[in-house]
Amino acid sequence: MTETVTKNFVIDFDSTFTSVEALDVLGSISLKDHPEKIERLKKIADVTDLAMSGELSFRESLNQRLQILDAKKEHLPILITMLNKLVSKSFKRNKAFLKEHADHVYILSNGFKEFIFPIVEKYGIKEENVHANTFVFDDLDNIVGFDEDNILSQSKGKPAKIEALKLQGEIHVIGDGYNDYEIRKEGKANRFYAFTENVSRENVVKNADHVAPSLDEILYHNKMEGALSYPKNRIKVLLLENIHENGVKIVKEEGYQIEIYPAGIDEEELCEKIKDVSILGIRSKTMVTKKVLEHANRLMAVGAFCIGTNQIDLTECTKRGIAVFNAPFSNTRSVVELAISEMIMLIRNLPDKIFSMHQGKWDKSAKGSFEIRGKKLGIIGYGNIGKQLSVLAEGLGMNVYYYDLDERLALGNATKCKSLKELLTKVDVVSLHVDGRKSNANVIGKKEFDYMKEGVVFMNLSRGHVVDIKELKKNIESGKIAGTAVDVFPEEPLSNAHEFVSELRGLPNVILTPHIGGSTLEAQENIAEFVPTKIIDYINTGTTTNSVNFPNLTLPILQDAHRFIHVHHNQPGVLANITNTLAKHDINVMGQYLKTNDTVGYVITDINKNYNKEAISDLRKINGTIKFRVLY
């Protein structure tokens, strides 16, 4: 039988346990009204960096900083209040671990115990396990120095202190500075973790046994149970097609490992890039095909930072237990405003007039120019965009007609048409707002153009493949279509660097836009905030609200339990097998949730923290299982 080895975790305080250097914060307090505040704070930061990188002796750096600080005892309670709010996120998350292992958790700092212990004691760390310097005060409670007899005030004080402590078992040092690495360098520790959650120093990282972007990574590396079942820094995210910076920021703040690519990529390249990716973020150009998904060994979720999902093989994603999320409402207003503006431009024949002006031709005439008031607008596809367009167009005085395959309630005074033919024969303006399903290919072709009135305005801001482009061109050239706006195309360039090729180029009174219906800052910001939030909720809690292909399930926040997430083919007996497996291992169920769709079932089970780990293996073996994971 293998004997369990005791592991002692020796943790630095500044920029490790907290996200800041405490003396820098103390300076912002003590120098608040000082005329040289900016210069002094910069000097403190510079001296700190020199010490942390090993370029300045610690004692000299400490002396310099205390002289610059001009601090008093009365400043310390303010400092403590501020530092309480600045504890590193992963330490906050793992408070339970720190308390549970309090006998073997140590704080070893070149900082000062007067402010360190009040912070760490709330995390269960014992006072006798906190080793740091102490201040020296004068009669007026000014901080005038430090205890120079304290071993931690000296260069290489940390290795010397570790030696003096005579800890039994392995010693694992966690820190961000060179003086933390010195413990390992001097042979006084078994392992040094370069902690990079708050700051990454090159000469510290290169000497580390292991780089740890969070405490979660350290616990996972040691096979010890923390707040997360899997460190977030190990979750790889691939973001393509210039995802808005707000979305990138949200993902980064969550602690994921991110790769950003500015354009769409083709199938072969994506097959290579996606192999170890857990989360994929795309817009409209990147095709997530069955072949791509066959190479996606770790993929858990796909985020479409747009409305449509026809660029994603949803059936294959569902079969593989990959949840897909999009932003069905976030850019609705932007698309509608573009449709309204283009409608007005076309009915006034503005594209040709604008072009003529740039050629130096002055063509002041009302010929072929009309108001939209009183005109009949036909909306094909009465979803979120179609409905909002209906309301705004009616507000401008248009008479609105709509057609949709699904039963849709009319808004305002809009009139529902029983057939596409009925709509096309009535209206002056046709605006397409259908989804990207394959059955919508060429929904507007020769027959449909024949139904339209002479002089009609035709607009497609939905999907490229829903219009027969050759027939559209013929009707523009014949003059039957008086004006055209197209924002989406059957084939689109992968990036701005590629040429746009289309038969519609150069035709009269035609507006061609590069798939920018939803490309406003407001829409992109909304999408960038909506999609990552839904994916993060799914990864962290299992919640599938707003998933395109998974049963939608909103789950409570996990409280003092473990959560089993089981995705399976929708077949009889799976839930019973899950329940029997849990009972077989005497696992107490605290809550269970089930939802299915035509393809998959989604079972969430919250259980007590103590359970036989063999249960996980048995749950994975249940017939019909697609994916299984544990959250805690």
Side-chain angles (χ1 to χ4, degrees), residues 392-446:
L392 292 187
E394 192 173 314
L396 291 170
M398 300 187 81
N399 300 311
V400 178
Y401 296 81
Y402 72 92
Y403 172 73
D404 199 296
L405 292 174
D406 296 327
E407 188 63 37
R408 306 279 191 180
L409 181 66
L411 297 183
N413 295 312
T415 301
K416 180 181 179 181
C417 294
K418 294 179 181 178
S419 68
L420 184 56
K421 179 180 179 180
E422 179 189 350
L423 180 141
L424 294 174
T425 56
K426 283 183 176 180
V427 302
D428 305 301
V429 180
V430 175
S431 193
L432 269 172
H433 300 285
V434 300
D435 62 36
R437 69 186 73 175
K438 290 180 180 178
S439 59
N440 278 336
N442 288 344
V443 71
I444 301 295
K446 183 181 186 306

Short mmCIF file of all heavy atoms in Angstrom, two decimals, residues 392-446:
data_model
loop_
_atom_site.label_atom_id
_atom_site.label_comp_id
_atom_site.label_asym_id
_atom_site.label_seq_id
_atom_site.Cartn_x
_atom_site.Cartn_y
_atom_site.Cartn_z
N LEU A 392 -41.61 49.43 -37.81
CA LEU A 392 -40.97 50.69 -38.22
C LEU A 392 -41.50 51.17 -39.57
O LEU A 392 -41.70 52.37 -39.78
CB LEU A 392 -39.46 50.52 -38.26
CG LEU A 392 -38.74 50.30 -36.93
CD1 LEU A 392 -37.23 50.30 -37.13
CD2 LEU A 392 -39.12 51.34 -35.91
N ALA A 393 -41.69 50.23 -40.49
CA ALA A 393 -42.19 50.61 -41.82
C ALA A 393 -43.60 51.17 -41.73
O ALA A 393 -43.93 52.16 -42.41
CB ALA A 393 -42.16 49.39 -42.74
N GLU A 394 -44.42 50.57 -40.89
CA GLU A 394 -45.78 51.08 -40.71
C GLU A 394 -45.75 52.49 -40.11
O GLU A 394 -46.55 53.36 -40.47
CB GLU A 394 -46.58 50.14 -39.81
CG GLU A 394 -48.08 50.44 -39.81
CD GLU A 394 -48.86 49.39 -39.05
OE1 GLU A 394 -48.60 48.19 -39.25
OE2 GLU A 394 -49.72 49.79 -38.24
N GLY A 395 -44.79 52.71 -39.21
CA GLY A 395 -44.64 54.04 -38.62
C GLY A 395 -44.25 55.09 -39.64
O GLY A 395 -44.49 56.28 -39.45
N LEU A 396 -43.64 54.66 -40.74
CA LEU A 396 -43.26 55.57 -41.83
C LEU A 396 -44.37 55.73 -42.86
O LEU A 396 -44.18 56.40 -43.88
CB LEU A 396 -41.99 55.05 -42.52
CG LEU A 396 -40.72 55.12 -41.68
CD1 LEU A 396 -39.58 54.36 -42.37
CD2 LEU A 396 -40.30 56.57 -41.46
N GLY A 397 -45.49 55.08 -42.61
CA GLY A 397 -46.64 55.25 -43.49
C GLY A 397 -46.80 54.19 -44.55
O GLY A 397 -47.60 54.35 -45.49
N MET A 398 -46.08 53.08 -44.46
CA MET A 398 -46.20 52.02 -45.45
C MET A 398 -47.32 51.06 -45.07
O MET A 398 -47.68 50.93 -43.89
CB MET A 398 -44.88 51.25 -45.58
CG MET A 398 -43.70 52.09 -46.01
SD MET A 398 -42.21 51.13 -46.35
CE MET A 398 -42.57 50.56 -48.02
N ASN A 399 -47.85 50.39 -46.06
CA ASN A 399 -48.82 49.32 -45.83
C ASN A 399 -48.06 47.99 -45.87
O ASN A 399 -47.43 47.68 -46.89
CB ASN A 399 -49.91 49.34 -46.91
CG ASN A 399 -50.66 50.66 -46.93
OD1 ASN A 399 -51.10 51.13 -45.89
ND2 ASN A 399 -50.78 51.26 -48.11
N VAL A 400 -48.12 47.25 -44.76
CA VAL A 400 -47.26 46.08 -44.61
C VAL A 400 -48.03 44.78 -44.84
O VAL A 400 -49.11 44.57 -44.28
CB VAL A 400 -46.61 46.05 -43.21
CG1 VAL A 400 -45.75 44.80 -43.04
CG2 VAL A 400 -45.77 47.32 -42.99
N TYR A 401 -47.43 43.90 -45.66
CA TYR A 401 -47.93 42.55 -45.88
C TYR A 401 -46.80 41.57 -45.52
O TYR A 401 -45.62 41.90 -45.68
CB TYR A 401 -48.33 42.35 -47.35
CG TYR A 401 -49.47 43.22 -47.79
CD1 TYR A 401 -49.24 44.55 -48.15
CD2 TYR A 401 -50.78 42.73 -47.83
CE1 TYR A 401 -50.29 45.37 -48.55
CE2 TYR A 401 -51.84 43.55 -48.24
CZ TYR A 401 -51.59 44.87 -48.59
OH TYR A 401 -52.62 45.67 -48.97
N TYR A 402 -47.17 40.40 -45.05
CA TYR A 402 -46.11 39.45 -44.72
C TYR A 402 -46.54 38.03 -45.04
O TYR A 402 -47.74 37.71 -45.10
CB TYR A 402 -45.70 39.56 -43.25
CG TYR A 402 -46.71 39.02 -42.25
CD1 TYR A 402 -46.65 37.70 -41.80
CD2 TYR A 402 -47.71 39.84 -41.73
CE1 TYR A 402 -47.56 37.21 -40.87
CE2 TYR A 402 -48.63 39.37 -40.82
CZ TYR A 402 -48.56 38.05 -40.38
OH TYR A 402 -49.46 37.56 -39.48
N TYR A 403 -45.52 37.19 -45.25
CA TYR A 403 -45.76 35.76 -45.47
C TYR A 403 -44.71 34.97 -44.69
O TYR A 403 -43.52 35.30 -44.70
CB TYR A 403 -45.66 35.41 -46.96
CG TYR A 403 -45.72 33.92 -47.22
CD1 TYR A 403 -46.92 33.22 -47.07
CD2 TYR A 403 -44.58 33.21 -47.56
CE1 TYR A 403 -46.98 31.84 -47.28
CE2 TYR A 403 -44.62 31.84 -47.77
CZ TYR A 403 -45.83 31.16 -47.63
OH TYR A 403 -45.88 29.81 -47.81
N ASP A 404 -45.16 33.92 -44.01
CA ASP A 404 -44.26 33.05 -43.25
C ASP A 404 -44.85 31.65 -43.25
O ASP A 404 -46.09 31.48 -43.19
CB ASP A 404 -44.09 33.57 -41.82
CG ASP A 404 -42.85 32.99 -41.14
OD1 ASP A 404 -42.79 31.77 -40.94
OD2 ASP A 404 -41.95 33.78 -40.80
N LEU A 405 -43.99 30.65 -43.33
CA LEU A 405 -44.45 29.25 -43.30
C LEU A 405 -45.08 28.91 -41.95
O LEU A 405 -46.01 28.10 -41.87
CB LEU A 405 -43.29 28.30 -43.58
CG LEU A 405 -42.72 28.32 -45.00
CD1 LEU A 405 -41.48 27.45 -45.09
CD2 LEU A 405 -43.78 27.85 -46.01
N ASP A 406 -44.55 29.52 -40.89
CA ASP A 406 -45.09 29.29 -39.55
C ASP A 406 -46.21 30.27 -39.26
O ASP A 406 -46.29 31.36 -39.84
CB ASP A 406 -43.99 29.44 -38.49
CG ASP A 406 -42.89 28.40 -38.65
OD1 ASP A 406 -43.21 27.27 -39.08
OD2 ASP A 406 -41.72 28.74 -38.37
N GLU A 407 -47.08 29.87 -38.34
CA GLU A 407 -48.17 30.75 -37.93
C GLU A 407 -47.59 31.90 -37.09
O GLU A 407 -47.01 31.69 -36.03
CB GLU A 407 -49.20 29.97 -37.10
CG GLU A 407 -50.46 30.74 -36.78
CD GLU A 407 -51.25 31.14 -38.02
OE1 GLU A 407 -51.29 30.34 -38.98
OE2 GLU A 407 -51.81 32.24 -38.03
N ARG A 408 -47.73 33.13 -37.59
CA ARG A 408 -47.18 34.31 -36.91
C ARG A 408 -48.29 35.33 -36.70
O ARG A 408 -49.02 35.67 -37.64
CB ARG A 408 -46.07 34.95 -37.73
CG ARG A 408 -44.93 34.01 -38.13
CD ARG A 408 -43.95 33.82 -37.01
NE ARG A 408 -42.74 33.14 -37.48
CZ ARG A 408 -41.72 32.84 -36.71
NH1 ARG A 408 -41.75 33.14 -35.42
NH2 ARG A 408 -40.66 32.21 -37.20
N LEU A 409 -48.38 35.85 -35.50
CA LEU A 409 -49.37 36.87 -35.18
C LEU A 409 -48.94 38.21 -35.74
O LEU A 409 -47.79 38.63 -35.56
CB LEU A 409 -49.53 36.98 -33.65
CG LEU A 409 -50.57 37.98 -33.14
CD1 LEU A 409 -51.98 37.54 -33.55
CD2 LEU A 409 -50.48 38.13 -31.62
N ALA A 410 -49.86 38.88 -36.44
CA ALA A 410 -49.55 40.18 -37.05
C ALA A 410 -49.37 41.25 -35.98
O ALA A 410 -50.09 41.28 -34.98
CB ALA A 410 -50.65 40.58 -38.01
N LEU A 411 -48.40 42.13 -36.21
CA LEU A 411 -48.22 43.29 -35.34
C LEU A 411 -48.82 44.51 -36.03
O LEU A 411 -48.72 44.67 -37.25
CB LEU A 411 -46.73 43.53 -35.06
CG LEU A 411 -45.98 42.43 -34.31
CD1 LEU A 411 -44.54 42.87 -34.04
CD2 LEU A 411 -46.66 42.10 -32.99
N GLY A 412 -49.40 45.40 -35.23
CA GLY A 412 -49.99 46.61 -35.80
C GLY A 412 -51.06 46.29 -36.81
O GLY A 412 -51.94 45.45 -36.58
N ASN A 413 -50.97 46.93 -37.98
CA ASN A 413 -51.98 46.73 -39.03
C ASN A 413 -51.46 45.86 -40.17
O ASN A 413 -52.00 45.89 -41.27
CB ASN A 413 -52.42 48.10 -39.59
CG ASN A 413 -53.15 48.93 -38.54
OD1 ASN A 413 -54.05 48.43 -37.87
ND2 ASN A 413 -52.74 50.18 -38.40
N ALA A 414 -50.39 45.11 -39.92
CA ALA A 414 -49.83 44.25 -40.96
C ALA A 414 -50.85 43.19 -41.39
O ALA A 414 -51.64 42.70 -40.58
CB ALA A 414 -48.56 43.58 -40.46
N THR A 415 -50.80 42.85 -42.68
CA THR A 415 -51.74 41.88 -43.25
C THR A 415 -51.00 40.60 -43.61
O THR A 415 -49.98 40.64 -44.31
CB THR A 415 -52.41 42.45 -44.51
OG1 THR A 415 -53.09 43.65 -44.19
CG2 THR A 415 -53.38 41.44 -45.12
N LYS A 416 -51.51 39.48 -43.14
CA LYS A 416 -50.89 38.20 -43.45
C LYS A 416 -51.37 37.71 -44.81
O LYS A 416 -52.56 37.75 -45.13
CB LYS A 416 -51.25 37.17 -42.38
CG LYS A 416 -50.64 35.80 -42.64
CD LYS A 416 -51.02 34.79 -41.58
CE LYS A 416 -50.42 33.43 -41.89
NZ LYS A 416 -50.80 32.42 -40.88
N CYS A 417 -50.43 37.24 -45.63
CA CYS A 417 -50.76 36.67 -46.94
C CYS A 417 -50.79 35.15 -46.83
O CYS A 417 -49.98 34.54 -46.13
CB CYS A 417 -49.75 37.09 -47.99
SG CYS A 417 -49.78 38.87 -48.36
N LYS A 418 -51.70 34.53 -47.56
CA LYS A 418 -51.87 33.08 -47.48
C LYS A 418 -50.81 32.34 -48.30
O LYS A 418 -50.56 31.16 -48.06
CB LYS A 418 -53.26 32.69 -47.97
CG LYS A 418 -54.37 33.21 -47.06
CD LYS A 418 -55.75 32.82 -47.61
CE LYS A 418 -56.85 33.36 -46.72
NZ LYS A 418 -58.20 33.03 -47.25
N SER A 419 -50.22 33.03 -49.26
CA SER A 419 -49.21 32.38 -50.10
C SER A 419 -48.14 33.39 -50.49
O SER A 419 -48.37 34.61 -50.43
CB SER A 419 -49.83 31.78 -51.36
OG SER A 419 -50.29 32.84 -52.20
N LEU A 420 -47.00 32.88 -50.90
CA LEU A 420 -45.93 33.74 -51.37
C LEU A 420 -46.37 34.46 -52.64
O LEU A 420 -46.07 35.66 -52.82
CB LEU A 420 -44.67 32.90 -51.63
CG LEU A 420 -43.40 33.64 -52.03
CD1 LEU A 420 -43.02 34.70 -51.02
CD2 LEU A 420 -42.24 32.64 -52.22
N LYS A 421 -47.10 33.77 -53.49
CA LYS A 421 -47.59 34.37 -54.74
C LYS A 421 -48.49 35.56 -54.44
O LYS A 421 -48.37 36.62 -55.08
CB LYS A 421 -48.35 33.34 -55.56
CG LYS A 421 -48.92 33.89 -56.86
CD LYS A 421 -49.67 32.81 -57.64
CE LYS A 421 -50.26 33.39 -58.93
NZ LYS A 421 -51.00 32.35 -59.70
N GLU A 422 -49.37 35.44 -53.46
CA GLU A 422 -50.27 36.53 -53.10
C GLU A 422 -49.48 37.77 -52.69
O GLU A 422 -49.79 38.89 -53.12
CB GLU A 422 -51.19 36.11 -51.94
CG GLU A 422 -52.15 37.21 -51.49
CD GLU A 422 -52.90 36.84 -50.22
OE1 GLU A 422 -52.82 35.67 -49.78
OE2 GLU A 422 -53.55 37.75 -49.63
N LEU A 423 -48.45 37.58 -51.89
CA LEU A 423 -47.64 38.71 -51.44
C LEU A 423 -46.91 39.36 -52.61
O LEU A 423 -46.94 40.59 -52.77
CB LEU A 423 -46.65 38.25 -50.37
CG LEU A 423 -45.72 39.34 -49.80
CD1 LEU A 423 -45.52 39.16 -48.29
CD2 LEU A 423 -44.35 39.32 -50.49
N LEU A 424 -46.25 38.54 -53.43
CA LEU A 424 -45.40 39.08 -54.50
C LEU A 424 -46.20 39.85 -55.55
O LEU A 424 -45.69 40.79 -56.15
CB LEU A 424 -44.62 37.95 -55.16
CG LEU A 424 -43.58 37.24 -54.27
CD1 LEU A 424 -42.98 36.05 -54.99
CD2 LEU A 424 -42.49 38.20 -53.84
N THR A 425 -47.44 39.48 -55.76
CA THR A 425 -48.24 40.16 -56.78
C THR A 425 -48.81 41.49 -56.27
O THR A 425 -49.25 42.31 -57.08
CB THR A 425 -49.42 39.27 -57.23
OG1 THR A 425 -50.18 38.89 -56.09
CG2 THR A 425 -48.91 38.02 -57.95
N LYS A 426 -48.76 41.71 -54.96
CA LYS A 426 -49.39 42.90 -54.37
C LYS A 426 -48.43 44.05 -54.11
O LYS A 426 -48.81 45.22 -54.19
CB LYS A 426 -50.05 42.54 -53.04
CG LYS A 426 -51.37 41.83 -53.15
CD LYS A 426 -51.96 41.60 -51.76
CE LYS A 426 -53.34 40.96 -51.87
NZ LYS A 426 -53.94 40.72 -50.53
N VAL A 427 -47.18 43.74 -53.73
CA VAL A 427 -46.35 44.75 -53.05
C VAL A 427 -45.42 45.50 -53.99
O VAL A 427 -45.09 45.04 -55.09
CB VAL A 427 -45.52 44.10 -51.91
CG1 VAL A 427 -46.44 43.44 -50.91
CG2 VAL A 427 -44.51 43.09 -52.46
N ASP A 428 -44.99 46.69 -53.52
CA ASP A 428 -44.06 47.54 -54.26
C ASP A 428 -42.61 47.29 -53.84
O ASP A 428 -41.68 47.57 -54.60
CB ASP A 428 -44.39 49.02 -53.99
CG ASP A 428 -45.83 49.34 -54.31
OD1 ASP A 428 -46.25 49.14 -55.46
OD2 ASP A 428 -46.57 49.79 -53.39
N VAL A 429 -42.44 46.81 -52.61
CA VAL A 429 -41.11 46.54 -52.08
C VAL A 429 -41.12 45.14 -51.48
O VAL A 429 -42.01 44.81 -50.68
CB VAL A 429 -40.70 47.56 -51.00
CG1 VAL A 429 -39.30 47.23 -50.47
CG2 VAL A 429 -40.74 48.98 -51.55
N VAL A 430 -40.15 44.31 -51.85
CA VAL A 430 -40.01 42.96 -51.29
C VAL A 430 -38.75 42.94 -50.43
O VAL A 430 -37.67 43.30 -50.89
CB VAL A 430 -39.89 41.90 -52.40
CG1 VAL A 430 -39.62 40.52 -51.78
CG2 VAL A 430 -41.13 41.88 -53.26
N SER A 431 -38.89 42.49 -49.17
CA SER A 431 -37.74 42.38 -48.27
C SER A 431 -37.68 40.98 -47.69
O SER A 431 -38.62 40.53 -47.02
CB SER A 431 -37.83 43.42 -47.15
OG SER A 431 -36.60 43.53 -46.47
N LEU A 432 -36.57 40.30 -47.94
CA LEU A 432 -36.40 38.90 -47.53
C LEU A 432 -35.75 38.82 -46.15
O LEU A 432 -34.69 39.39 -45.92
CB LEU A 432 -35.50 38.17 -48.52
CG LEU A 432 -36.16 37.46 -49.70
CD1 LEU A 432 -35.08 36.98 -50.66
CD2 LEU A 432 -36.99 36.29 -49.23
N HIS A 433 -36.39 38.04 -45.25
CA HIS A 433 -35.83 37.85 -43.90
C HIS A 433 -36.09 36.42 -43.42
O HIS A 433 -36.61 36.19 -42.34
CB HIS A 433 -36.43 38.88 -42.93
CG HIS A 433 -36.13 40.28 -43.34
ND1 HIS A 433 -34.89 40.85 -43.19
CD2 HIS A 433 -36.91 41.20 -43.97
CE1 HIS A 433 -34.91 42.08 -43.67
NE2 HIS A 433 -36.12 42.32 -44.16
N VAL A 434 -35.69 35.46 -44.25
CA VAL A 434 -35.89 34.04 -43.93
C VAL A 434 -34.61 33.48 -43.31
O VAL A 434 -33.55 34.09 -43.38
CB VAL A 434 -36.28 33.25 -45.19
CG1 VAL A 434 -37.58 33.77 -45.77
CG2 VAL A 434 -35.16 33.30 -46.23
N ASP A 435 -34.73 32.29 -42.72
CA ASP A 435 -33.55 31.69 -42.11
C ASP A 435 -32.77 30.88 -43.15
O ASP A 435 -33.16 30.80 -44.31
CB ASP A 435 -33.92 30.84 -40.90
CG ASP A 435 -34.83 29.66 -41.24
OD1 ASP A 435 -34.64 29.08 -42.34
OD2 ASP A 435 -35.70 29.30 -40.43
N GLY A 436 -31.67 30.29 -42.70
CA GLY A 436 -30.74 29.66 -43.62
C GLY A 436 -30.93 28.18 -43.84
O GLY A 436 -30.00 27.51 -44.34
N ARG A 437 -32.07 27.63 -43.48
CA ARG A 437 -32.28 26.19 -43.68
C ARG A 437 -32.13 25.83 -45.16
O ARG A 437 -32.40 26.64 -46.05
CB ARG A 437 -33.65 25.78 -43.15
CG ARG A 437 -34.81 26.30 -43.96
CD ARG A 437 -36.16 25.99 -43.32
NE ARG A 437 -36.41 26.82 -42.15
CZ ARG A 437 -37.55 26.81 -41.47
NH1 ARG A 437 -38.54 25.99 -41.84
NH2 ARG A 437 -37.71 27.60 -40.42
N LYS A 438 -31.68 24.59 -45.39
CA LYS A 438 -31.39 24.16 -46.77
C LYS A 438 -32.61 24.24 -47.67
O LYS A 438 -32.50 24.52 -48.87
CB LYS A 438 -30.84 22.73 -46.75
CG LYS A 438 -29.44 22.62 -46.15
CD LYS A 438 -28.94 21.19 -46.18
CE LYS A 438 -27.54 21.08 -45.57
NZ LYS A 438 -27.05 19.68 -45.55
N SER A 439 -33.79 24.00 -47.12
CA SER A 439 -35.02 24.01 -47.92
C SER A 439 -35.36 25.42 -48.43
O SER A 439 -36.22 25.57 -49.31
CB SER A 439 -36.20 23.47 -47.10
OG SER A 439 -36.39 24.24 -45.93
N ASN A 440 -34.68 26.44 -47.90
CA ASN A 440 -34.91 27.80 -48.37
C ASN A 440 -34.02 28.18 -49.55
O ASN A 440 -34.03 29.33 -49.99
CB ASN A 440 -34.70 28.81 -47.24
CG ASN A 440 -35.91 28.92 -46.33
OD1 ASN A 440 -37.02 28.62 -46.76
ND2 ASN A 440 -35.71 29.35 -45.10
N ALA A 441 -33.24 27.24 -50.06
CA ALA A 441 -32.38 27.52 -51.21
C ALA A 441 -33.23 27.96 -52.40
O ALA A 441 -34.23 27.31 -52.75
CB ALA A 441 -31.56 26.30 -51.58
N ASN A 442 -32.87 29.09 -53.00
CA ASN A 442 -33.58 29.64 -54.17
C ASN A 442 -35.09 29.75 -53.94
O ASN A 442 -35.89 29.47 -54.85
CB ASN A 442 -33.30 28.80 -55.42
CG ASN A 442 -31.88 29.00 -55.93
OD1 ASN A 442 -31.21 29.96 -55.55
ND2 ASN A 442 -31.42 28.10 -56.77
N VAL A 443 -35.46 30.15 -52.76
CA VAL A 443 -36.88 30.36 -52.48
C VAL A 443 -37.44 31.46 -53.38
O VAL A 443 -38.64 31.51 -53.67
CB VAL A 443 -37.11 30.68 -50.97
CG1 VAL A 443 -36.61 32.06 -50.60
CG2 VAL A 443 -38.57 30.52 -50.59
N ILE A 444 -36.55 32.35 -53.83
CA ILE A 444 -36.93 33.35 -54.84
C ILE A 444 -36.17 33.03 -56.12
O ILE A 444 -34.95 33.19 -56.22
CB ILE A 444 -36.58 34.79 -54.38
CG1 ILE A 444 -37.30 35.12 -53.07
CG2 ILE A 444 -36.94 35.80 -55.46
CD1 ILE A 444 -38.82 35.17 -53.17
N GLY A 445 -36.90 32.52 -57.09
CA GLY A 445 -36.31 32.15 -58.39
C GLY A 445 -37.12 32.72 -59.53
O GLY A 445 -37.87 33.70 -59.37
N LYS A 446 -37.02 32.12 -60.71
CA LYS A 446 -37.68 32.66 -61.90
C LYS A 446 -39.19 32.84 -61.70
O LYS A 446 -39.76 33.89 -62.03
CB LYS A 446 -37.42 31.74 -63.10
CG LYS A 446 -38.03 32.25 -64.41
CD LYS A 446 -37.77 31.31 -65.57
CE LYS A 446 -38.26 31.91 -66.89
NZ LYS A 446 -39.66 32.34 -66.86
#
